[in-house]
Amino acid sequence: MPELPEVEVTRRGIATPLRGAIVHGVRVGKPLRWPLGLPEGEFAGQMVGEVGRRGKYLWLPLVLPGAAHGGLLMHLGMSGSLAWQTSAPAAGAHDHFDLVTNRGTLRLNDPRRFGAVVWSPGLDRAPAARLLQRLGAEPFDADLTPQRFHEALHQRRAPIKAVLLSGEVMVGAGNIYACEALFRAGIHPALRADRLSRPRAQRLLEALRQTLAQALAMGGSTLRDFSDVHGMSGAYQTSAAVYGREGQACVQCGGQIRRVIQAQRSTFFCPHCQKR
DNA sequence: AGTTAAACCTGGTTGC
DNA sequence: TGCAACCAGGTTTAAC
């Protein structure tokens, strides 16, 4: 489900209600990807700070004045979404984590349970640091210049689609937005990353930023599960040019959109508009 | 280093 | 209607 736009939509939805909230406790349901890493009783009295995001991870800082501090690193996996509820109903079959505060409850719903909630003493400490260590640049970081993007791609021989999905050069683009950005940039997904010319790398960086920004403005994509913290669906998926459109007409040339498998994931592209 | 497969799960859709 | 096969927004780990 959630790629960077969906995670950022979620972050914006929870940051305000959570800022300064006092934790009463947590409730855990079925196991997620990794264990929580701190006994459930340890959270009471901690105050939530400013909710941050790194790639597709959310970071909820927790501070207990004069005592232990750390935070919760959360990932929504493929099917996760967070909801903010001022009065939380009984947990459903797929509600696997609650953060109960004096203001309301933050609830993770995740049918497939590929998501995670992990306590860490800090973003730069284990286990958070280990999970984040291989992440590439944030897409809207000013330090990610076209030149640096090109240089990083130049060191990768894998297909450009696989490099984007790995997140090791730039985080945030998952399967939908990687496909859409490559289409927007006119680049064939099987092209080796180190074969992109400088102008094409620049064009791809611009396409990635435009794609992610547009998706964010539209509230993200909702294929099945995703909704924002108020239960609203995103709208971007209806404006996808290639994703999920195998066999349909290309919006640009009218040719057939094709689907191939790369790195165990479906890649959608237009063979006519996207050049090697 | 790249590529490939398998693993973690549930559920919706498609096709016989 | 039933049931098998395939598909799904992500990421880690292991093996060749």
Side-chain angles (χ1 to χ4, degrees), chain A residues 150 153-158 191-197:
Chain A
H150 179 241
L153 293 182
H154 202 70
Q155 293 170 229
R156 301 307 216 78
R157 301 186 198 187
L191 178 66
R192 272 171 48 161
D194 61 351
R195 305 278 261 272
L196 262 84
S197 65

Side-chain angles (χ1 to χ4, degrees), chain A residues 67-89:
Chain A
H69 61 282
L72 292 172
L73 192 69
M74 311 184 79
H75 197 289
L76 301 179
M78 287 277 263
S79 58
S81 61
L82 286 167
W84 174 255
Q85 297 162 323
T86 49
S87 63

